[in-house]
Amino acid sequence: MKRIFTTLSIVCLFACAMFGQSSIEVNLDKASLEESLKDVKEPIHNLTLSGKPRPEDFDYLRSKILSDIRRLDLSDVDLDTIPSKTFYAKIYYNYNNETRPQIVLPKTLKHLADSALWVITDYGYVKYELASSTYPTLGKDVYNSHGQYNGNEIIPSSGNTSFIIDNNILYSSDGITAYHYNGGEDDVVKKGTRLIYGNFMENGKYASGFTLSETIDSIGDRAFANVGLVAYTGYPVEDMTCYAPNPPKLGKDVFLNSIIYNMPVYVPSKSYDIYKNTEVWKDFKLRRIVDAGIEDIATGKLSSSDYYDLQGRKVKSPTKGLYIKDGKKVVK
């Protein structure tokens, strides 16, 4: 592990002592993070670091600082890999009254190790900002532990034009790659996107449905691994719709332990037989979609007035839930 040498500004110390200031910058020096902050008595809400970190600096960060942190800026830290559970500490967050705690990742970042961005909060909410110009490679379970609500966001840092956010999804600036799902309902990976990056929704939660555009041609490792359901939606059945005429190529463990295996997966009617004969895709509960909407599995016909459930069955008296009407999803 690379080392960090830090020093604390005398001016900042004076401000903290006199006014209870909670913002601190720590620059390179020959002292550990703990040594640099030994005279700081007030909780640190905003911390900016630079230099080459050592393991004990991360230990101190977790045990003494992260519980009060509102913004941690690591953009100028010389680090290419965020180690496992670097931020695994209780971060206080009042869901109703506060913005999410923010952590700015290093400009030099190249890899996120297994469980690198795990935190402990009541809702799992942390906003990570990318300062690097390229998205890092990923280990396993990077964003969330199994069963934890996927509230973490990955967004570009201020001035970073290499990425964009569109409908709660982080994309490359040209829209060709979808990197990370930040949560939402009835989300759509937009037209023009070709690659869904690895770990895209790993350990995340479904709200009501997800749609892959016709331009998707490949999905990376573990993109939908360990995906579960949001229990409070009240919807009877969630679903996935894939408009790609050819089954997207899949990496390793794309749908490992995923709830998607228990959902209807809608594919183009003309491509139904192709999906039915393609590894992994053939294991889903495949349903047909046609130009005007979703086909009635029993009759093969569409109706402009009737309600259908997400398995394509006509519902005479729809109650609360998600249905198909006039070829569109509607919520009762």
Side-chain angles (χ1 to χ4, degrees):
M1 174 68 66
K2 299 178 181 179
R3 299 174 65 84
I4 187 171
F5 301 100
T6 60
T7 185
L8 187 62
S9 164
I10 295 176
V11 174
C12 184
L13 275 174
F14 178 76
C16 291
M18 293 296 292
F19 306 110
Q21 176 61 259
S22 62
S23 296
I24 295 178
E25 294 183 8
V26 177
N27 299 315
L28 293 175
D29 207 316
K30 294 184 179 181
S32 68
L33 182 60
E34 181 177 6
E35 179 67 19
S36 297
L37 299 178
K38 65 180 181 180
D39 295 323
V40 177
K41 305 303 181 183
E42 298 294 327
I44 300 173
H45 295 320
N46 298 282
L47 178 63
T48 299
L49 299 179
S50 59
K52 298 181 180 180
R54 59 204 292 181
E56 50 264 46
D57 294 317
F58 287 128
D59 292 341
Y60 185 76
L61 185 69
R62 282 190 297 269
S63 63
K64 300 296 183 180
I65 297 175
L66 280 178
S67 61
D68 295 306
I69 206 72
R70 297 298 177 270
R71 182 175 174 82
L72 174 64
D73 190 341
L74 304 177
S75 58
D76 289 327
V77 168
D78 185 7
L79 186 69
D80 59 12
T81 298
I82 300 294
S84 178
K85 296 188 177 182
T86 292
F87 310 111
Y88 196 61
K90 180 68 175 180
I91 298 180
Y92 175 77
Y93 170 52
N94 186 324
Y95 178 75
N96 295 315
N97 301 321
E98 296 184 15
T99 58
R100 302 184 183 193
Q102 295 175 296
I103 297 177
V104 186
L105 300 174
K107 295 175 184 175
T108 54
L109 182 64
K110 295 182 179 178
H111 182 69
L112 294 171
D114 295 356
S115 312
L117 302 186
W118 284 17
V119 295
I120 306 173
T121 74
D122 291 339
Y123 291 91
Y125 283 99
V126 168
K127 183 175 290 186
Y128 291 98
E129 298 183 20
L130 285 172
S132 56
S133 59
T134 58
Y135 204 82
T137 56
L138 305 171
K140 297 179 181 179
D141 301 322
V142 169
Y143 307 117
N144 296 88
S145 59
H146 293 193
Q148 183 182 13
Y149 179 70
N150 186 11
N152 290 343
E153 286 189 40
I154 312 292
I155 65 171
S157 61
S158 178
N160 188 349
T161 60
S162 297
F163 306 94
I164 58 173
I165 295 289
D166 191 332
N167 193 29
N168 296 315
I169 295 175
L170 177 72
Y171 292 93
S172 56
S173 59
D174 58 12
I176 291 176
T177 302
Y179 286 108
H180 185 258
Y181 171 74
N182 286 325
E185 296 184 7
D186 289 323
D187 287 301
V188 178
V189 177
K190 64 182 182 178
K191 186 175 181 179
T193 302
R194 297 181 58 187
L195 169 65
I196 295 180
Y197 201 69
N199 308 63
F200 174 77
M201 194 192 288
E202 184 183 39
N203 298 325
K205 301 293 185 184
Y206 248 77
S208 59
F210 206 84
T211 301
L212 307 181
S213 68
E214 63 266 34
T215 56
I216 299 294
D217 59 28
S218 58
I219 303 176
D221 297 351
R222 301 178 66 87
F224 294 93
N226 303 308
V227 168
L229 291 176
V230 178
Y232 56 75
T233 62
Y235 297 147
V237 182
E238 281 73 11
D239 69 286
M240 173 179 278
T241 302
C242 182
Y243 284 99
N246 295 309
K249 298 182 290 292
L250 302 177
K252 297 179 180 179
D253 298 328
V254 170
F255 298 102
L256 179 70
N257 299 323
S258 176
I259 194 67
I260 298 172
Y261 276 117
N262 297 323
M263 298 178 181
V265 174
Y266 294 97
V267 299
S269 182
K270 294 180 180 179
S271 303
Y272 180 81
D273 290 338
I274 302 175
Y275 278 85
K276 268 294 188 183
N277 289 283
T278 300
E279 291 299 319
V280 181
W281 291 105
K282 68 181 183 181
D283 298 326
F284 290 109
K285 297 177 180 178
L286 295 176
R287 303 287 187 267
R288 301 175 189 268
I289 53 178
V290 295
D291 291 342
I294 296 179
E295 204 171 42
D296 182 344
I297 300 303
T299 66
K301 299 179 180 179
L302 292 170
S303 171
S304 60
S305 59
D306 295 323
Y307 285 88
Y308 295 83
D309 66 19
L310 296 182
Q311 279 106 354
R313 298 171 300 197
K314 185 186 293 186
V315 179
K316 293 183 178 180
S317 301
T319 57
K320 180 181 178 182
L322 186 64
Y323 299 93
I324 304 300
K325 185 177 185 295
D326 297 327
K328 299 179 180 179
K329 295 177 185 176
V330 295
V331 178
K332 293 281 291 181

